[in-house]
Amino acid sequence: MKIGLPGTTTQPQTFFMRSLFILLLVIAGIQASAQITGQVKDGQGNLLTGTTVSLMRVQDSALIKYAVSGDEGVFMFKEVTHGSYRLTASFVGHQPFLSEIFEFSENPFRLDIVMQKLSSDLAGVVVTAKKPVVEVRADKMILNVEGTINATGSDALELLRKAPGVTVDKDENISLSGKNGVQVFIDGRPTPLAGQDLAQYLKSMQSSNIEAIELITNPSAKYEAAGNAGIINIRLKKNKALGTNGSVNAGYNIGIYSKYNTGFSLNHRNQKLNLFGNYNYNNNKNQNSLSIDRSVADSFFSTRNTIIAQSKNHNFKAGADYFINKQNTLGIIVNGSVSEIGMANNSRTSIASQTGNTNRWLVANNRSSLERNNVGLNLNYSYNHQQGKSLNLNGDMGKYELGNDQFQPNFYYDPSGQTLTSSVIYQMIAPTDISIKSLKADWEQNFAKGKLGFGGKTAFISTENDFKRYNVFNNSKELDIERSNGFNYKENINALYVNYNRAFTGFMIQGGLRAENTITEGVSNGMRHNGSGFVKYDSTFKRNYTDLFPSAAITFNKNPMSQFSVTYSRRVDRPAYQDLNPFEFKLDEYTYQKGNIDLRPQYTNSFGITHTFKYRLNTTLNYSRVKNMFVQWIDTAEISKSFITKKNLATQDIVSLNISYPFQYKSYSLFANLNANRSHYTADFGPGRQVDLNAYGLSIFAQNSLRFAKTWTAELSGFYNAPTIYQGAFQAKSMWGVDAGLQKQLFAGKATLKASVSDVFNSLQFHGKTEFAGQVSNFTSRWESQQFKISLNYRFGNTGVKAARQRGTASEEETKRVQQGGGMGIGQ
């Protein structure tokens, strides 16, 4: 049997061609005119290569273009219209440069720049920088969440749902550019959670506590090899201003139910010590609906679920940095979250024969009480030498406690739905404890006219699961020994890597190799009845394997206005413990979910070509081949029962195209992103159980921003996902949504009031279909996507960042960004 999706072969291609045509028209319509050139030197007359030069329009202080001084210190701005301008420039170890105002009306026009070195008496210089809403770099895209209006009142999962190239399916699995296997990091550290546990954790994180989301599609050897589609790194806020400062925030959302959140942050920083901390609380009540129509064998099941979830989440973070001197820093960070979630699922299923006549009803209104608690400790040390040497040491410990207590009644009624014929009631209690310990070291130094980096990491993860199922009789319950189980899982990953990059005349190279040894052990034990009594069984499995993960990139930048990059990387996704866990989690008597202890790692080889035009238009073409791809599969058991599990699909071949472009005119800015992909899936699970299909995907993201009346900003954003096939199994219809918001600066910029409406047209919903092994299932899922949100943030204390003492100042970071081939963002 072959799985196909009618219409997906032509519709995404037509939509893609139209969108590409419109995007090219916008680009072609930009007016071409005169140019500005110059040369950058230091105070001693030495030429400076790699200086970031910005062209600012005097009328509205708008950033018009970026340039980077090349060989001989020369920079150039082309296609500049006549008007009044200023130049700004930044270079590591030098004072920021700001030119006098000049009138540009000649061609050619030349203005040279002289950069003065920083000295100790410049500690009072304050650098003010505005982050763009979206930054596009050679290896990643950065969404600066704290600057966006429509992020107000959102949680981390909701933000990802609307991020460029990211899709979240009905079961809240995350994929990037058409590929599953995304590795989620928090502040640069991987989280051990996956599936629903990860989704619940992301829902507990409020946007008010998030600084930025990084979509890293081409990680270097320095990063862990896990993540077939790449890495999504969620950076939490950390104040960098000198002095004592902080902020308080409060927000209110209303959809079907009310939700509210509040929090605060405090920071004290001087020349020797930085103390920081924040706390956020949110109380949410949400309603979701899920409809499942399933036909298998001679039966038809039609299920309607209404799920109401009430959650209370506390998130906290505290830390300190001690600056021993200009070169050495010690740090400590403690963070965590405490979440209580109550879920009520009102479920009603009609069970009919093939003739369509209902022969009975199943009412399964279950209740669940969940706990999601975690705490982490990080100790870090950094050494930075002026000669380009740096050492970073990190030690991490983490503890996750997950609790699940589910009460599952199953009441069967006659065809009229009035007379109770039988009932089965059970309770499932499943606590999980996860322990993480890791040590990591990274060293960088100048070597052979380039930069050499090497390091290693060792990590230990231990997971203990205890699943107990009880049969409930009136006011008593009895342990079901055969359906209770224990599952313990241990994973040890040891890694070494080396990475080298060097700039030549007209091109740059980067290459790396990472070696990872993985040792895993899973123990599933319980009791089984052998006819005469219960006997113990032990399904233990052990694996020990070592893999090499090369990565390479070459960037051709002889013409800074038109740069090409070619990349390659090999990556891996290891099964999460939840996907190996053989427990059966039941939705009702006919639907359940279970793990697969035979699940193997999936490997990806990825090739990419990126073109950056005038630091703005970024185009990336990527090809990936995934071996042993993970898929969430719906299969049959006991003729009419359905279960969901993870399996290894044979292969996935995927080609993707990503185009992004920022545009700015005076106080208006636009960021547009288009991602198109084609996947080919093949697998053979036996007679009548083959997979051979093509799937097309298309997603479009756009964000518009308009500043007016000095203190007001309006924002309109939206996304569209075309019909596609998720994980080679779910045929999904299109999804789209539009958000709108307003922002007002108050009290001389110390306070910000934001109001927005998410999913303005109430269009967000998931429609999907699967067909396999004689079973056809149709899904429809909706959630409280349309909400009115309002928030107020008030900042107090000192907010200046002093350039001479602040590590990673705006000028230094901006210089690094452009030198690495990054493109322009949108001014906020």
Side-chain angles (χ1 to χ4, degrees), residues 204-222:
S204 74
M205 301 176 62
Q206 282 296 111
S207 61
S208 59
N209 196 34
I210 298 174
E211 177 182 348
I213 295 176
E214 299 176 338
L215 308 178
I216 307 173
T217 54
N218 185 39
S220 69
K222 183 176 180 179

Side-chain angles (χ1 to χ4, degrees), residues 60-206:
D60 53 7
S61 298
L63 175 60
I64 305 303
K65 293 177 182 291
Y66 273 124
V68 179
S69 63
D71 295 339
E72 306 301 324
V74 175
F75 65 90
M76 178 184 297
F77 294 106
K78 294 182 180 180
E79 302 176 356
V80 181
T81 59
H82 296 182
S84 298
Y85 296 96
R86 301 180 87 163
L87 290 181
T88 66
S90 61
F91 189 77
V92 178
H94 291 70
Q95 301 176 32
F97 171 85
L98 178 64
S99 76
E100 298 293 333
I101 297 173
F102 61 89
E103 294 293 327
F104 176 62
S105 57
E106 300 178 4
N107 185 24
F109 182 88
R110 182 183 176 96
L111 179 61
D112 292 334
I113 295 174
V114 178
M115 306 290 293
Q116 300 295 335
K117 288 190 175 182
L118 287 172
S119 58
S120 58
D121 59 355
L122 290 176
V125 176
V126 176
V127 176
T128 302
K130 293 181 180 179
K131 288 184 179 180
V133 174
V134 180
E135 298 176 74
V136 179
R137 305 187 185 179
D139 62 338
K140 62 186 171 185
M141 181 182 295
I142 302 175
L143 306 172
N144 290 308
V145 174
E146 63 179 346
T148 62
I149 303 169
N150 290 332
T152 301
S154 300
D155 57 54
L157 187 66
E158 186 178 353
L159 292 175
L160 289 178
R161 193 187 299 274
K162 301 171 184 177
V166 178
T167 55
V168 181
D169 66 16
K170 70 175 184 64
D171 296 309
E172 298 175 334
N173 297 303
I174 302 169
S175 60
L176 180 61
S177 297
K179 293 182 284 186
N180 64 354
V182 178
Q183 180 70 48
V184 176
F185 281 48
I186 308 296
D187 278 338
R189 300 174 183 88
T191 170
L193 304 178
Q196 283 297 314
D197 291 333
L198 176 61
Q200 292 296 340
Y201 179 49
L202 294 176
K203 287 178 182 179
S204 74
M205 301 176 62
Q206 282 296 111

Side-chain angles (χ1 to χ4, degrees), residues 647-816:
K647 287 190 176 184
N648 291 108
L649 199 67
T651 59
Q652 178 194 23
D653 292 284
I654 181 168
V655 178
S656 65
L657 175 68
N658 192 87
I659 302 174
S660 62
Y661 184 76
F663 173 78
Q664 184 164 350
Y665 178 74
K666 295 184 178 181
S667 58
Y668 169 75
S669 61
L670 163 70
F671 176 81
N673 186 88
L674 180 148
N675 184 280
N677 60 77
R678 173 193 179 273
S679 295
H680 179 70
Y681 301 92
T682 58
D684 187 352
F685 296 123
R689 300 161 69 89
Q690 293 87 21
V691 177
D692 185 3
L693 62 89
N694 292 308
Y696 296 89
L698 176 70
S699 65
I700 297 175
F701 171 85
Q703 182 151 307
N704 302 265
S705 180
L706 177 66
R707 296 192 305 271
F708 59 96
K710 293 185 178 180
T711 59
W712 286 89
T713 305
E715 191 173 278
L716 183 69
S717 60
F719 78 96
Y720 170 80
N721 292 337
T724 188
I725 298 178
Y726 291 117
Q727 300 183 26
F730 290 93
Q731 305 172 20
K733 295 184 179 180
S734 63
M735 293 177 62
W736 64 279
V738 175
D739 299 345
L742 279 173
Q743 174 180 290
K744 168 68 174 174
Q745 299 288 339
L746 304 170
F747 308 123
K750 290 186 176 181
T752 304
L753 179 66
K754 298 180 181 180
S756 66
V757 176
S758 61
D759 194 15
V760 175
F761 301 102
N762 201 25
S763 57
L764 273 178
Q765 55 183 312
F766 179 90
H767 294 281
K769 178 182 178 180
T770 64
E771 184 175 353
F772 184 73
Q775 178 178 217
V776 179
S777 302
N778 289 276
F779 304 85
T780 300
S781 177
R782 297 209 62 159
W783 57 95
E784 271 187 77
S785 57
Q786 187 179 66
Q787 298 181 27
F788 171 74
K789 307 173 181 180
I790 188 168
S791 72
L792 177 66
N793 180 277
Y794 180 77
R795 298 168 293 279
F796 56 88
N798 181 40
T799 58
V801 181
K802 297 192 177 182
R805 296 293 183 185
Q806 172 62 37
R807 296 178 301 155
T809 62
S811 60
E812 179 182 341
E813 286 301 310
E814 195 59 45
T815 301
K816 288 182 179 179

Side-chain angles (χ1 to χ4, degrees), residues 600-629:
R600 302 183 305 277
Q602 66 177 17
Y603 295 90
T604 302
N605 286 281
S606 181
F607 303 83
I609 300 176
T610 299
H611 179 240
T612 302
F613 182 67
K614 294 184 178 180
Y615 301 107
R616 287 179 174 267
L617 177 63
N618 284 266
T619 305
T620 300
L621 181 65
N622 183 273
Y623 166 75
S624 297
R625 164 160 274 221
V626 185
K627 182 181 178 181
N628 296 331
M629 176 192 170

